[in-house]
Amino acid sequence: SQVIGELRLLAQRQIPYHGRWMKYCCYMLPVSSLFTLVPIIPNFPFFYNLFRVYSHYKARHGAQYLQHMLDENSYEVVVDSELSRWYQGEMLPQTSTPDSRTVAGDSSARAPGYSSINHSPELSDDDQRTLESGSPLLEDPPLISDNDITRMAVYFQLPLFEPTIRRARHQIVADLSKPSQ
């Protein structure tokens, strides 16, 4: 499958990348530890390098685990018809949750644990701030908006999903909006 191939390629590229940067940061630890001789400030360069070593260690082992799981055929790609409907733009104006709470079409609707849903066709506040800062949105209308993320979180019962995906969306939009070098 194409998804498994992409995951395998990702794991194969990330293992050496994180291993290399983990070594570079380890090499910088003795150099940055010399800043302990300056007694006035904490040794930020040392702790930053130590954090980078730890982060690359965790990322490398995560990629190794992914590769192991792929080698053992532990992943199965399943097409989710509900999620496919979201990607095809067939979003429902009203979303019922299994416990019969309904997030209706008014902008004050709020399900417990979720941010409010704005059903107006206008841009969300975050998208508006992105435009005002001079960074263009990548498409008009956006492929997935903040309101879509909130509706997905309610529909699929994933309240912890919403802030993480919202932050990831804004990071991707900001990164892709930067002029290419």
Side-chain angles (χ1 to χ4, degrees):
S1 156
Q2 182 182 359
V3 174
I4 299 294
E6 291 288 327
L7 286 174
R8 190 175 307 281
L9 183 64
L10 180 69
Q12 289 171 349
R13 275 191 275 153
Q14 295 303 313
I15 291 171
Y17 172 83
H18 289 293
R20 179 175 54 252
W21 280 102
M22 183 176 64
K23 288 176 190 172
Y24 291 159
C25 291
C26 283
Y27 297 149
M28 290 305 295
L29 283 174
V31 174
S32 62
S33 68
L34 294 176
F35 282 98
T36 57
L37 300 176
V38 180
I40 298 172
I41 59 171
N43 193 353
F44 290 120
F46 176 77
F47 291 116
Y48 175 74
N49 275 319
L50 195 60
F51 173 74
R52 298 264 313 196
V53 168
Y54 172 76
S55 297
H56 285 296
Y57 171 81
K58 293 294 283 183
R60 182 171 180 257
H61 280 276
Q64 286 175 334
Y65 181 69
L66 175 62
Q67 188 173 31
H68 171 73
M69 296 296 282
L70 291 170
D71 290 342
E72 298 294 321
N73 294 322
S74 299
Y75 283 103
E76 179 183 353
V77 178
V78 178
V79 176
D80 185 350
S81 61
E82 293 294 321
L83 194 55
S84 294
R85 286 181 45 208
W86 282 94
Y87 284 123
Q88 293 169 358
E90 300 173 13
M91 293 177 247
L92 302 173
Q94 183 173 353
T95 305
S96 298
T97 55
D99 61 353
S100 299
R101 286 189 313 256
T102 300
V103 178
D106 68 273
S107 63
S108 63
R110 184 173 175 84
Y114 303 93
S115 64
S116 62
I117 299 173
N118 180 4
H119 291 274
S120 69
E122 299 173 6
L123 294 174
S124 69
D125 291 339
D126 287 330
D127 285 340
Q128 193 62 40
R129 280 194 296 270
T130 300
L131 286 173
E132 289 169 1
S133 72
S135 299
L137 292 175
L138 300 176
E139 62 273 335
D140 187 29
L143 177 64
I144 184 169
S145 68
D146 286 337
N147 293 330
D148 296 337
I149 292 170
T150 302
R151 287 188 206 141
M152 282 180 156
V154 170
Y155 187 83
F156 293 106
Q157 302 175 24
L158 300 167
L160 299 177
F161 162 90
E162 182 184 357
T164 305
I165 298 301
R166 187 182 304 264
R167 182 173 51 250
R169 177 189 176 272
H170 286 283
Q171 288 173 351
I172 290 168
V173 166
D175 189 44
L176 292 176
S177 297
K178 292 179 185 174
S180 59
Q181 298 174 352

